[in-house]
Amino acid sequence: MTNIWSPIKIGSFELPHRLAMAPMTRSRAKPDGTPGDLAPDYYSQRATIGLLITEGTQPSDDGQGYPATPGIYTDAHVAGWRKVTDRVHAAGARLFIQLMHVGRRSHPDNTPHHRQPVAPSAIGPGEDMFTMKGMLPVPEPRALTTAEIQQTVTEFAHAARRAIEAGADGVEVHGANGYLVHQFLAPDSNHRTDEYGGSMENRARFAIEVVHAIADAIGPERTAIRLSPGIPTGGIAEGTDNDDLYRYLAAEFGKMGLAYLHILYLRQDPLLAEIRKTFPGVLVLNRPGRQRDQVGADVAAGLADIEALGVMALADPDLIQRLKTGAPFNEVRQALFYAGGSAEGYTDYPSLNAA
Ligand SMILES: Cc1cc2nc3c(=O)[nH]c(=O)nc-3n(C[C@H](O)[C@H](O)[C@H](O)COP(=O)(O)O)c2cc1C
């Protein structure tokens, strides 16, 4: 039985224990997509968590969906992220930047170029989105051409290179939660008739090409991907071949020697255990809504190597100390999850030593 507090290696890095901070958008970047001035404090405050997966970060103008999310493709972005990685490394943690291309889950008001969102097919998610003018319906996206898909793959690889240039230890592709990679995987958002649509293998092609291109650019041991099998966020309804699709992806990614595979899982069925068996590398698991007495259970049961925690890490900079000592958690201030440039609900959650 593996203990959550035992060390583990991912790629060439040794982590002191088996908890990670799950990726969380905080919408506090500068207008040009450079991480906000408080981002180095925010991430370094949480350094005892060991592995920090950052907020979703766009690899291109097209990739942005929400207001004030950071990018990692310009010199200014690299300089901004460098301030974060320097502080995180000085505090002893590792940081993977999550590359999030939102695809159709975007509004022109929120992007630098204000263009129509792009997607595998011209099918909207049927949802409203937060903008600076309030909630607005997401417009119908434009289908990417085959050449543009290949260009998007290249942009992911470029962003990954820039992340390493900024001092990140690796990148995690956001392949979960109804964003671009997931839109290619799901048959209801992907009606393409070229080699990126139709069969399960074709729908998986974009995800695999993105991960391959990144692994070629920065090394597979610095490359990871997050998937959410069976989670219907963002208008996604996965197909009848859903479980086979994820078995196939686990096998394909398993051949690449990745840093880790990150699974976001809600269901209580054998698929997770099958993915675990199929994927030979490090498996990071995030089970939404986990409570303190459940932390460590999946690692102990052999279902995962690392457990990722979201809200607990957001609200408790010293989460590890609190878990180890049984000290109470801070009260979560949900209304401040995405609260602009403010320190409130961001860097002002107290730690025990300061309290
Ligand atoms: C404020 C907030 C922002 C989030 N942003 C992202 C994101 O950018 N990328 C992502 O993959 N998941 C995102 N998530 C989902 C979390 O990574 C995680 O899956 C979710 O919070 C459930 O885990 P938890 O119960 O431990 O918080 C976000 C969650 C929250 C609460």
Side-chain angles (χ1 to χ4, degrees), residues 22-25 56 98 174 177 226 264 286 288-289 309-311 337-338:
M24 283 175 289
T25 291
Q98 189 188 53
H174 195 343
N177 292 350
R226 185 178 218 208
L264 173 53
N286 173 234
L309 298 169
V311 172
F337 277 178
Y338 312 104

Side-chain angles (χ1 to χ4, degrees), residues 24-29 38 42 46 55 67-68 130 311 314-315 330-350:
M24 283 175 289
T25 291
R26 304 306 313 275
S27 285
R28 285 163 165 89
L38 292 172
Y42 170 68
R46 287 156 180 77
E55 61 210 280
F130 185 76
V311 172
L314 183 156
N330 287 320
E331 195 183 319
V332 177
R333 287 171 284 162
Q334 201 164 343
L336 299 171
F337 277 178
Y338 312 104
S342 161
E344 224 192 321
Y346 188 45
T347 50
D348 69 346
Y349 279 105

